[in-house]
Amino acid sequence: MPKKGAGADNSKKLVPGQSQDDDSNIVFGDDTSKKRNKKNSRPAATKQQNDAANPQGQEAIKKPDTRQLIGGASWTGKLPVNLLSEHCQKQKWGKPEYTMNKTGNGFLSSVFLKSTDPKTKETVTLPPLVLPPSYKDLATQPTAVEARHFAATYALFRVCSMRNIHMMLPPNYRDLWKNDFEASKKEDVKAGRAWMYEADPFAAKQTQDEAQAQRMRKLAEEENKRRNETQQSISFQPGSASTKHMPNNTTAKGWSQAPKLEMGKRNRRQVEGLVQQNAVWNLHGIEFPKAQYQKVIHELINLGFRQSHVEEAMNYCKDREEVLEWLLIHIPEDDLPPWSLPEGYTAGISMASGNLKRDSMIRRLADAGYPSDLCAKILDDCQGDEGHAAEALQKSILAAFEHDIASLQVDEHGSAQAWTEEQATLSAIFGQRFRTLSSSMSEIHLLLDHLTACELRVSRSSSYPRAPPVVAVICPKLPAYIRLSTIRQLLQFAGNNLLGEPMIFNIVDWLENEIPRIVENPGKLRDVSAAITGLPQSGYTPPKKSAYVKSRPGSINWKPGSLESLDLYNQWRSRQDMPKQREMLAIRQSLPAWKQKEAITESVNQNQVTIISGETGSGKSTQAVQFILDDLIQQQLGSTANLICTQPRRISALGLADRVSNERCTIVGDEVGYAIRGESRNRLGHTKITFVTTGVLLRRLQTSGGRTEDVVAALADVSHVVIDEVHERSLDTDFLLVLLRDVLAKRRDLKVVLMSATLDATVFEDYFKHTSSIGKVNIEGRTFPVEDFYLDDVMRFTSFSSPNVYQGREMDEMQEEDLDIAKSIQGLGMKLNYNLITTCVKYIDQQLGPQEGGILIFLPGMIEINRTLDALRDLSNLFPLPLHASLMPTEQRRVFPPAPRGKRKVIAATNVAETSITIEDVVAVIDCGKVKETSFDPQNNMVKLEEVWASRAACKQRRGRAGRVRAGKCYKLYTRNAEAKMAERPEPEIKRVPLEQLCLSVKAMGVVDVPGFLQCALTPPETLAVGSAMELLRRIGALEDHELTALGRHLSMIPADLRCGKLMVYGATFGCLEACLTLAGILTVKSPFVNPQNKRDESKAARSSFAPNEGDLICDLRAYDGWVEMKSRLNYRDMRSWCEQNFLSSQTLQDISSNRSQYLSSLQDAGFLPLNYNPNIPTSLNSHNSNFALIRALIAGAFNPQVALISFPSRKFASSVSGTVELDPEARTIKFYNQDNGRVFLHPSSTLFDAQSFAGNSVYLSYFSKMATSKVFVRELTPFNAYTLLLFGGPIALDTLGRGLVVDGWMKLRGWARIGVLVGRLRAILDGVLARKIEDPGLDVAGDEVVGIVRRLVEFDGMDR
């Protein structure tokens, strides 16, 4: 490669050149090139090299061709322009077009990409692909040839940055790709422009255009909405005098109909105290922007705040919103701007206890500015002695309430006579301004401008004059905290200057001089906030991170011949001579995989990544791991062996562990083990092959720390990672592949094996080949042949005829029998026909006759399985069994043993039976050709579980189940034409499911740039889907300021739907764990109620009877609790009768119980519950299981933002004997609205469908799912009140026009702005409680004060009860 010129700088330089077809445009340098910019001195460098190669100055210097100029003298590979053209051709895009501009420093080029729709013939042209302006100098090249190849390289990077194409580029362009281009990409991704680097730029452009159009529509709608509200809003300026008494009829219509928010005085005082003690302001120490400093001050002064208060708040807060919140919390009520006060607010608290003497004493004590409830408490502590109470209150200002009532005894040796003489002197000095109230109390009028009614009340303290007297400044026009600030400063002055002598005259003089100054600048609010709230100020210390560091495994020592390796070798040798082992070996040798034993071990030894493709039944899943282990043992490296083999499903991991341990004549948990969610059998350091679900391995990596180095360390003791059934492309598998690719680059001794029957090896080879060496092994077909029969064959064999035969036109060319079959097929339609399945099973059973052999039926889901089993139970000679992922492992294992004598085993299964398990006696497969698949539309945030056609790859796997142990038959209940139209392979799950859980897992690993990380996936997800997922994580409270919250860290460790996980976390925190576990089980399975078509009304009535108007989930919860109770005291027959009477499904209730157990194990594994937790032992974890108001609130919090507003009609009244009463509205007049869809409708199956009222002042509904048919219906409904929305809903915004609060940007609440700020800060403190729970999993937080006040607020809707 040509060297750089002597005058070149240290930046990356490109060698000039051009492809051979561009020779006519080459620009060669001469002596004048030395005058160019240093960056462009390469032609001179080339000339110097040519001179050096021809020292005699011969004239026969050959001009370098384009390949040499671009790639160097030794470059033989392709050039950037060619690579870009080939890529566009592969993608079926148009030929790239180049622009060229000559500048003073050289040439600039850019690339246009085009694509033509083959159907519409419409051509889309992308904007030119150019580097950002900051990289313009880098893009300037000395020749047009270089500029063109530079532009081609950058265009390639824009569409292939997730691939390692740079390895095919010339060296200097390769460096550009890895350094400058990557740096530019990071800047773009950080700025939210990750879409620029999508593999399909045309799809990315379309997505961006649609998103932009949607944003513009939304902005236009918001602007129209804002304009309408402004026209209807109240006509006043916040903070002005005219706002003090707002007429109710000036409020906008939207606000007048909003729910009203109130908070009891006792609750408010407690919340204020908690917030002022524990709230954290400016957590990350962000400095307030100087450019906004004066602007914010003026804005808040105009809103009615004092300048000194605003300036104080800005010392503690990071932005305008936080400053506003700080002011609303710390400024006392009587000094707040009128707009922030509730309607009809009057400062002070009226007492009405019935004890007039006590009420009068409290009122006098409160005149000084102390809170009335604090005065009442101190007065009671002082046994009703008003003098002692006043002295205790005064001490609290200086001593943060560290008062000692016992020490406040009257000093009998004090100067009582001196007090009397001083009072007489004061009376003579002040005349009418002085008034004696009692022998120990007097009052003096203060002469102050603008404050005509201002009095000083003085009482003799127990130690006067060795201590200041008890003073109170009585001035209704002064806010309470200013009075207290005055007293505080006065006491400091007296304590420093006046002790030991009569001081009241000097006190009066000081007050008359200093009060105007104090009013103007009352000092820091925090200095007197202790006295205002009745609680001490204490600094909040964020929870410290645990000092415990998780131990990490040691690295592998690959030195052969260790004692452990020799011992393993000897044990292995001795086992080979065992008769049972020889018998097993003979069985293994009959498998096709055995023929490839040497090829597999050789490939694994020589390559980092090995791709094994083998037909169903070849034995790859059971044999490949054994080949690898046996090879290591024979090399005396057995001690290094630690193979982890991932499986997509639990039953696969369990079945393979059993089978492989059986083949090796060991027990499960010894040499071969497994680890699935909630269950494991392996011995650390002893188990050599561990079958795990993919999620278990991801959890191990997720908890490692997050950096690539942490993931590498977490796998330090793992020698091989085997990923089976990789073709399924599950979300977990794709996530794991991203992590492993990074690990392989760091740890060269780690081996990865990818296995599947139907994988596209090229896809995975391209993904890994740039970082690792790749080996491929192909295993020949299945052991036994399988004969295929299609739907027409089945109908011909069984003489099955559809009752809905289509009466179409005659087809003369077809035989009469074929015509009947065709009509029957048309009559079947697209739905499953259970009569056909039953008929087919009968036919197979008859064909097999006395031969043993099972039948495996593939069905889309659990509902179809249950219906099929119900249809087969009438056949007495069959032994029907279900098989699906929701069954417990013990129930799943029932499919493996032979059927009872005289019966034929029939297994109705979902696609869990497609791969990795062998049911020995299956000889016939019935394939319905359908699967239930989740699809997600990020545009409207809708998830659909649809029944769709399976892929041909999946059907091939199903077919192979019939030929695992002997020749079999596959009965396909679909036509050959339908099979031809099936997709070749299933779409990767990452493209069709919501990504919240994946994004949360990635974030939990410490990854900062989640979208950038996911762009490195085998199939990158849509940018819009990732953005929607991140936004939802923020809305549910799992993410804040790009960091995981305490709740988010909990949810990342619980393998459940985020909403179910959140519900269980809340349950453990608020003392209703068992109830929330049950609800999570119900949501995971389904409602336990059955809904017969002919008894729907009776079924709904039975469901509603368990908890009227409480919502669907509370009804289901009460029903489950009732079932548990009945089960403990009824026999089987009575229990079944009870379930039938209440329309309950025993099987569903059992499934819910099973899921509860799994979730309980997950919470224990995550450290959220102690391992010895016993639900039968009363603890604070379950002290509120019967508090349904609280449980409704937690459900709403878990489902947020899935909230609907209940819009009640105008109230109506009727006369009655007892007077006028309000009538409940008719159910049809109540309407419901959500944020995304506007009006929504309750699903007719809901218990609230006909409800006229809702429990607990509920004004909102939470829903778990919604579905769109003719209307948008919401399901699994739970009503909740306004405080639930405030505490568990979205962000709270203040309406500075004084109308109330706005939650999550759309739900209005009429009420006091201060309440919204208090609740918002209380939510942050609650997150701190969860953080402490994370640091100390054994911490019991159910009795925490914060948890207690939150529980009380949602239970009583904010009121004191």
Side-chain angles (χ1 to χ4, degrees):
M1 187 190 324
K3 296 180 180 178
K4 300 175 183 177
D9 59 15
N10 293 327
S11 60
K12 297 280 188 266
K13 305 300 179 197
L14 297 183
V15 178
Q18 176 137 342
S19 60
Q20 292 186 7
D21 57 345
D22 293 327
D23 284 346
S24 60
N25 295 324
I26 296 179
V27 179
F28 290 96
D30 53 19
D31 291 341
T32 59
S33 65
K34 296 180 181 179
K35 299 178 182 179
R36 294 179 179 174
N37 186 288
K38 290 183 179 181
K39 178 180 290 189
N40 300 322
S41 63
R42 283 160 293 180
T46 305
K47 185 177 185 300
Q48 290 171 11
Q49 289 175 354
N50 291 335
D51 291 342
N54 189 19
Q56 302 301 323
Q58 293 94 332
E59 294 297 325
I61 300 177
K62 183 180 179 181
K63 292 182 180 180
D65 61 16
T66 301
R67 185 176 304 280
Q68 291 173 330
L69 291 170
I70 297 298
S74 61
W75 181 252
T76 59
K78 295 181 180 180
L79 300 179
V81 167
N82 307 110
L83 288 172
L84 178 60
S85 297
E86 290 177 6
H87 182 77
C88 292
Q89 188 175 2
K90 288 179 182 178
Q91 300 298 321
K92 297 184 179 179
W93 300 340
K95 184 179 179 181
E97 296 181 6
Y98 294 83
T99 65
M100 188 66 66
N101 295 312
K102 192 173 188 311
T103 67
N105 295 325
F107 293 85
L108 279 173
S109 180
S110 60
V111 178
F112 284 94
L113 295 182
K114 294 183 178 182
S115 177
T116 302
D117 190 316
K119 293 182 179 179
T120 64
K121 304 302 181 183
E122 180 183 359
T123 299
V124 177
T125 303
L126 297 179
L129 304 180
V130 294
L131 275 166
S134 58
Y135 290 83
K136 183 178 180 181
D137 291 340
L138 183 68
T140 303
Q141 301 297 311
T143 67
V145 177
E146 291 176 82
R148 190 178 188 199
H149 283 279
F150 183 96
T153 304
Y154 181 66
L156 268 175
F157 179 82
R158 285 283 292 270
V159 296
C160 299
S161 62
M162 69 294 298
R163 297 167 56 190
N164 288 327
I165 287 182
H166 67 278
M167 301 299 292
M168 302 168 63
L169 292 169
N172 282 345
Y173 292 92
R174 187 184 311 155
D175 293 340
L176 266 176
W177 183 296
K178 292 164 59 179
N179 298 313
D180 299 287
F181 290 177
E182 283 291 348
S184 173
K185 177 181 177 180
K186 288 179 180 178
E187 294 174 8
D188 286 331
V189 171
K190 187 176 181 180
R193 297 189 292 270
W195 57 269
M196 292 172 55
Y197 298 90
E198 295 277 6
D200 186 346
F202 299 95
K205 181 179 185 300
Q206 183 180 359
T207 301
Q208 286 300 310
D209 291 345
E210 292 172 354
Q212 177 67 16
Q214 187 175 1
R215 283 195 295 270
M216 296 303 295
R217 287 195 298 271
K218 192 172 182 180
L219 286 173
E221 292 170 1
E222 290 175 353
E223 183 61 28
N224 290 334
K225 185 178 179 182
R226 193 180 302 112
R227 189 181 298 113
N228 293 335
E229 288 184 356
T230 302
Q231 293 172 355
Q232 300 172 0
S233 64
I234 50 180
S235 55
F236 69 90
Q237 292 299 319
S240 64
S242 62
T243 65
K244 189 170 183 179
H245 302 288
M246 291 188 302
N248 292 334
N249 57 6
T250 62
T251 306
K253 182 180 179 181
W255 286 97
S256 64
Q257 295 180 351
K260 191 172 182 180
L261 190 69
E262 296 179 315
M263 184 182 285
K265 296 181 180 69
R266 188 167 63 249
N267 281 341
R268 180 156 53 86
R269 291 295 183 194
Q270 185 177 358
V271 174
E272 286 174 350
L274 281 170
V275 169
Q276 292 189 10
Q277 284 183 87
N278 301 322
V280 182
W281 304 91
N282 196 2
L283 178 62
H284 301 291
I286 301 172
E287 185 176 352
F288 203 99
K290 293 182 180 180
Q292 301 179 19
Y293 195 87
Q294 290 299 327
K295 179 183 176 183
V296 171
I297 289 178
H298 290 310
E299 285 182 2
L300 295 178
I301 290 175
N302 290 335
L303 284 176
F305 295 103
R306 297 178 187 269
Q307 181 172 341
S308 62
H309 295 162
V310 176
E311 291 175 347
E312 179 184 355
M314 293 177 79
N315 292 327
Y316 302 116
C317 304
K318 69 178 186 295
D319 54 30
R320 178 187 182 278
E321 286 68 29
E322 197 168 77
V323 169
L324 185 58
E325 291 184 9
W326 193 96
L327 292 170
L328 288 172
I329 286 178
H330 287 85
I331 294 177
E333 301 166 16
D334 51 0
D335 198 28
L336 283 171
W339 65 264
S340 67
L341 299 172
E343 298 175 11
Y345 172 81
T346 303
I349 299 176
S350 59
M351 308 300 297
S353 66
N355 186 336
L356 296 179
K357 181 179 179 182
R358 179 176 179 274
D359 290 349
S360 297
M361 288 190 286
I362 292 173
R363 192 174 294 110
R364 285 193 295 272
L365 292 170
D367 284 344
Y370 302 106
S372 296
D373 50 356
L374 176 65
C375 295
K377 179 181 181 300
I378 298 297
L379 183 63
D380 293 339
D381 290 345
C382 294
Q383 308 298 319
D385 189 315
E386 185 178 353
H388 287 179
E391 192 167 354
L393 286 167
Q394 182 166 293
K395 282 192 172 185
S396 69
I397 298 178
L398 293 174
F401 286 84
E402 294 177 358
H403 58 273
D404 184 358
I405 302 302
S407 68
L408 300 178
Q409 302 301 321
V410 176
D411 184 3
E412 297 179 356
H413 303 286
S415 55
Q417 184 175 357
W419 172 266
T420 303
E421 292 175 356
E422 184 179 11
Q423 295 301 300
T425 303
L426 292 171
S427 178
I429 294 173
F430 294 113
Q432 294 182 351
R433 292 170 57 193
F434 180 85
R435 186 160 61 102
T436 300
L437 301 179
S438 69
S439 59
S440 60
M441 183 185 298
S442 59
E443 197 171 83
I444 302 169
H445 178 73
L446 300 176
L447 298 177
L448 297 168
D449 294 339
H450 309 298
L451 291 173
T452 55
C454 190
E455 312 290 334
L456 170 67
R457 185 179 296 163
V458 187
S459 302
R460 183 166 67 90
S461 63
S462 57
S463 301
Y464 185 82
R466 289 184 289 110
V470 179
V471 296
V473 177
I474 313 299
C475 185
K477 291 187 178 181
L478 279 182
Y481 86 99
I482 292 183
R483 284 174 267 159
L484 291 177
S485 180
T486 301
I487 293 172
R488 181 187 181 90
Q489 295 182 50
L490 169 63
L491 295 175
Q492 290 175 337
F493 168 76
N496 293 331
N497 302 284
L498 305 177
L499 295 183
E501 60 184 35
M503 64 183 78
I504 297 177
F505 177 82
N506 291 326
I507 286 175
V508 173
D509 181 65
W510 186 90
L511 287 173
E512 289 180 341
N513 284 286
E514 295 296 325
I515 283 181
R517 176 190 61 79
I518 296 172
V519 171
E520 184 67 25
N521 187 7
K524 292 187 175 182
L525 289 167
R526 288 197 169 202
D527 291 342
V528 292
S529 59
I532 295 170
T533 61
L535 289 167
Q537 285 290 297
S538 59
Y540 176 81
T541 304
K544 294 182 179 179
K545 292 188 176 180
S546 174
Y548 169 73
V549 178
K550 185 176 180 180
S551 61
R552 288 178 171 174
S555 58
I556 297 175
N557 181 5
W558 289 96
K559 185 177 180 180
S562 67
L563 291 177
E564 182 184 350
S565 296
L566 291 172
D567 186 41
L568 287 169
Y569 176 74
N570 293 331
Q571 292 178 22
W572 179 81
R573 288 295 307 165
S574 63
R575 280 208 311 264
Q576 304 311 304
D577 297 329
M578 296 169 52
K580 186 177 180 182
Q581 183 69 77
R582 288 199 298 268
E583 180 183 342
M584 285 296 176
L585 190 61
I587 295 174
R588 292 178 60 193
Q589 289 173 344
S590 66
L591 294 170
W594 188 268
K595 299 176 183 178
Q596 298 294 329
K597 176 182 177 182
E598 299 300 328
I600 290 173
T601 55
E602 182 179 353
S603 177
V604 170
N605 289 333
Q606 294 181 358
N607 301 283
Q608 268 196 292
V609 178
T610 297
I611 301 173
I612 301 176
S613 55
E615 296 289 347
T616 299
S618 62
K620 62 185 180 305
S621 296
T622 57
Q623 302 308 307
V625 288
Q626 295 190 72
F627 295 160
I628 297 169
L629 176 59
D630 290 344
D631 181 62
L632 289 173
I633 291 175
Q634 291 176 72
Q635 295 182 56
Q636 297 186 7
L637 286 169
S639 61
T640 66
N642 184 7
L643 287 76
I644 293 182
C645 182
T646 70
Q647 295 294 325
R649 285 169 280 275
R650 291 179 301 161
I651 188 172
S652 302
L654 295 171
L656 285 169
D658 285 338
R659 187 174 182 86
V660 173
S661 60
N662 188 41
E663 289 183 358
R664 300 185 71 82
C665 297
T666 61
I667 60 173
V668 176
D670 190 9
E671 188 181 40
V672 180
Y674 66 84
I676 62 174
R677 190 179 70 193
E679 183 181 349
S680 63
R681 289 183 67 181
N682 55 358
R683 291 168 58 191
L684 185 64
H686 188 80
T687 300
K688 298 301 177 183
I689 301 174
T690 307
F691 292 95
V692 303
T693 51
T694 313
V696 168
L697 179 55
L698 279 176
R699 191 57 45 87
R700 173 175 176 173
L701 302 182
Q702 181 181 325
T703 56
S704 64
R707 300 174 303 162
T708 302
E709 293 77 7
D710 296 322
V711 178
V712 171
L715 293 173
D717 65 335
V718 176
S719 60
H720 299 72
V721 176
V722 182
I723 306 177
D724 202 0
E725 310 304 342
V726 72
H727 76 281
E728 293 191 10
R729 300 292 306 281
S730 69
L731 205 62
D732 285 348
T733 298
D734 277 11
F735 184 16
L736 181 59
L737 290 176
V738 178
L739 296 175
L740 288 177
R741 189 172 68 164
D742 291 340
V743 172
L744 288 172
K746 298 277 186 179
R747 201 185 134 197
R748 293 297 178 182
D749 64 326
L750 179 66
K751 306 292 186 179
V752 172
V753 180
L754 309 178
M755 297 196 303
S756 177
T758 58
L759 65 78
D760 182 357
T762 305
V763 174
F764 296 95
E765 183 179 3
D766 290 342
Y767 189 65
F768 283 101
K769 69 181 181 182
H770 298 298
T771 57
S772 310
S773 56
I774 311 292
K776 292 190 290 185
V777 179
N778 184 54
I779 303 175
E780 64 184 27
R782 64 186 63 83
T783 309
F784 301 100
V786 175
E787 189 176 1
D788 292 325
F789 301 105
Y790 289 85
L791 180 57
D792 54 337
D793 300 319
V794 173
M795 299 187 78
R796 186 178 294 107
F797 295 156
T798 61
S799 301
F800 183 84
S801 177
S802 170
N804 302 315
V805 174
Y806 172 70
Q807 300 296 329
R809 61 184 178 85
E810 295 292 334
M811 289 176 279
D812 297 334
E813 66 275 13
M814 296 182 63
Q815 297 179 0
E816 185 176 348
E817 181 185 6
D818 293 336
L819 179 61
D820 291 340
I821 291 175
K823 290 180 179 179
S824 293
I825 291 174
Q826 290 176 340
L828 285 175
M830 299 298 291
K831 294 183 178 180
L832 290 180
N833 189 300
Y834 298 98
N835 291 331
L836 176 60
I837 295 173
T838 304
T839 303
C840 188
V841 171
K842 290 180 183 177
Y843 171 79
I844 296 170
D845 181 49
Q846 292 171 1
Q847 290 295 305
L848 292 173
Q851 299 180 51
E852 293 185 356
I855 304 171
L856 177 59
I857 309 172
F858 282 99
L859 295 158
M862 286 194 300
I863 295 175
E864 292 77 12
I865 288 175
N866 291 335
R867 289 180 179 176
T868 300
L869 294 179
D870 289 341
L872 295 176
R873 284 194 175 98
D874 294 334
L875 305 178
S876 58
N877 65 320
L878 300 183
F879 182 58
L881 293 170
L883 178 58
H884 51 79
S886 298
L887 294 175
M888 290 291 289
T890 52
E891 297 170 311
Q892 291 178 337
R893 288 194 182 102
R894 293 176 60 204
V895 302
F896 294 110
R901 191 175 185 85
K903 290 185 177 288
R904 188 177 306 283
K905 181 166 61 179
V906 179
I907 303 163
T910 60
N911 58 351
V912 299
E914 280 181 14
T915 56
S916 301
I917 63 170
T918 299
I919 305 173
E920 297 286 354
D921 52 354
V922 169
V923 295
V925 164
I926 299 175
D927 181 13
C928 295
K930 298 289 187 70
V931 66
K932 283 193 175 175
E933 197 173 79
T934 301
S935 63
F936 175 63
D937 183 357
Q939 291 284 355
N940 58 17
N941 201 28
M942 290 284 284
V943 179
K944 296 180 181 179
L945 183 64
E946 298 176 308
E947 184 179 296
V948 298
W949 286 110
S951 66
R952 287 201 295 272
C955 292
K956 185 177 181 181
Q957 292 276 49
R958 296 178 179 186
R959 175 181 183 272
R961 299 298 103 184
R964 293 300 296 266
V965 293
R966 62 176 176 177
K969 296 180 180 180
C970 179
Y971 298 85
K972 301 180 177 183
L973 302 187
Y974 47 86
T975 63
R976 292 171 177 83
N977 185 44
E979 184 179 56
K981 293 179 180 179
M982 292 177 179
E984 180 64 30
R985 289 180 179 82
E987 186 179 23
E989 196 174 23
I990 199 170
K991 301 282 284 184
R992 56 180 173 81
V993 299
L995 302 177
E996 295 86 46
Q997 191 73 57
L998 176 62
C999 291
L1000 183 65
S1001 299
V1002 173
K1003 197 68 185 176
M1005 295 186 65
V1007 176
V1008 177
D1009 181 13
V1010 175
F1013 178 89
L1014 294 178
Q1015 284 300 309
C1016 297
L1018 188 60
T1019 303
E1022 292 183 22
T1023 305
L1024 184 61
V1026 178
S1028 298
M1030 297 297 288
E1031 177 60 27
L1032 182 60
L1033 290 178
R1034 279 187 283 270
R1035 294 185 70 180
I1036 68 174
L1039 201 62
E1040 184 176 345
D1041 294 331
H1042 307 291
E1043 297 293 335
L1044 285 182
T1045 61
L1047 176 63
R1049 291 195 295 275
H1050 274 307
L1051 295 179
S1052 70
M1053 294 187 289
I1054 300 174
D1057 179 278
L1058 287 180
R1059 295 165 295 181
C1060 294
K1062 191 175 179 182
L1063 182 59
M1064 291 185 286
V1065 169
Y1066 280 158
T1069 304
F1070 286 90
C1072 44
L1073 172 62
E1074 287 295 310
C1076 290
L1077 280 172
T1078 300
L1079 289 169
I1082 291 169
L1083 292 168
T1084 304
V1085 182
K1086 62 177 181 178
S1087 171
F1089 288 92
V1090 294
N1091 193 19
Q1093 189 167 0
N1094 58 342
K1095 293 185 177 181
R1096 287 183 175 177
D1097 293 338
E1098 294 92 330
S1099 173
K1100 187 190 293 186
R1103 188 182 186 188
S1104 299
S1105 66
F1106 282 94
N1109 295 337
E1110 294 273 359
D1112 302 329
L1113 293 178
I1114 301 297
C1115 290
D1116 294 347
L1117 171 64
R1118 294 289 302 274
Y1120 178 86
D1121 291 342
W1123 174 72
V1124 171
E1125 181 184 352
M1126 291 294 180
K1127 195 168 63 168
S1128 63
R1129 49 192 185 88
L1130 296 181
N1131 58 37
Y1132 175 78
R1133 179 179 294 179
D1134 292 341
M1135 188 73 240
R1136 184 172 180 178
S1137 175
W1138 182 84
C1139 287
E1140 290 175 352
Q1141 291 173 8
N1142 289 284
F1143 293 88
L1144 289 167
S1145 165
S1146 298
Q1147 182 59 52
T1148 304
L1149 288 164
Q1150 293 284 1
D1151 292 342
I1152 293 170
S1153 178
S1154 171
N1155 274 271
R1156 283 182 86 260
S1157 301
Q1158 293 180 31
Y1159 282 141
L1160 180 59
S1161 298
S1162 298
L1163 289 174
Q1164 290 173 319
D1165 294 342
F1168 207 82
L1169 292 179
L1171 294 176
N1172 60 352
Y1173 167 77
N1174 186 342
N1176 297 319
I1177 300 176
T1179 65
S1180 58
L1181 289 170
N1182 292 301
S1183 55
H1184 296 278
N1185 273 328
S1186 300
N1187 188 339
F1188 294 115
L1190 173 63
I1191 295 172
R1192 288 201 315 272
L1194 301 185
I1195 292 171
F1199 292 1
N1200 181 67
Q1202 293 169 199
V1203 176
L1205 168 69
I1206 305 175
S1207 178
F1208 294 97
S1210 300
R1211 295 189 297 173
K1212 295 182 180 180
F1213 300 88
S1215 300
S1216 67
V1217 177
S1218 57
T1220 303
V1221 295
E1222 184 177 353
L1223 299 176
D1224 287 334
E1226 296 182 23
R1228 62 183 178 84
T1229 64
I1230 303 173
K1231 298 179 181 179
F1232 307 90
Y1233 300 89
N1234 73 356
Q1235 186 176 15
D1236 296 330
N1237 309 98
R1239 187 175 179 184
V1240 295
F1241 298 84
L1242 308 192
H1243 195 272
S1245 65
S1246 171
T1247 59
L1248 299 179
F1249 182 74
D1250 299 316
Q1252 296 176 275
S1253 60
F1254 304 91
N1257 299 327
S1258 295
V1259 287
Y1260 301 98
L1261 286 177
S1262 66
Y1263 57 89
F1264 188 72
S1265 61
K1266 65 180 178 181
M1267 56 186 298
T1269 54
S1270 57
K1271 302 174 182 177
V1272 177
F1273 289 99
V1274 289
R1275 308 183 63 161
E1276 295 90 30
L1277 308 174
T1278 304
F1280 62 93
N1281 57 32
Y1283 266 91
T1284 297
L1285 180 70
L1286 274 182
L1287 283 161
F1288 298 104
I1292 301 171
L1294 306 178
D1295 176 70
T1296 54
L1297 297 180
R1299 296 171 294 188
L1301 312 168
V1302 180
V1303 181
D1304 212 10
W1306 70 283
M1307 289 173 283
K1308 299 180 177 69
L1309 288 169
R1310 285 184 297 138
W1312 194 2
R1314 186 175 196 155
I1315 292 177
V1317 177
L1318 287 171
V1319 173
R1321 289 290 155 177
L1322 186 62
R1323 283 163 57 170
I1325 299 171
L1326 178 63
D1327 196 58
V1329 173
L1330 292 175
R1332 294 199 298 274
K1333 175 74 175 175
I1334 279 192
E1335 300 300 333
D1336 183 5
L1339 181 67
D1340 181 5
V1341 297
D1344 186 274
E1345 183 182 8
V1346 175
V1347 174
I1349 186 63
V1350 170
R1351 185 189 299 122
R1352 195 161 63 249
L1353 286 173
V1354 298
E1355 183 177 357
F1356 301 117
D1357 202 17
M1359 303 310 294
D1360 299 328
R1361 294 188 190 178

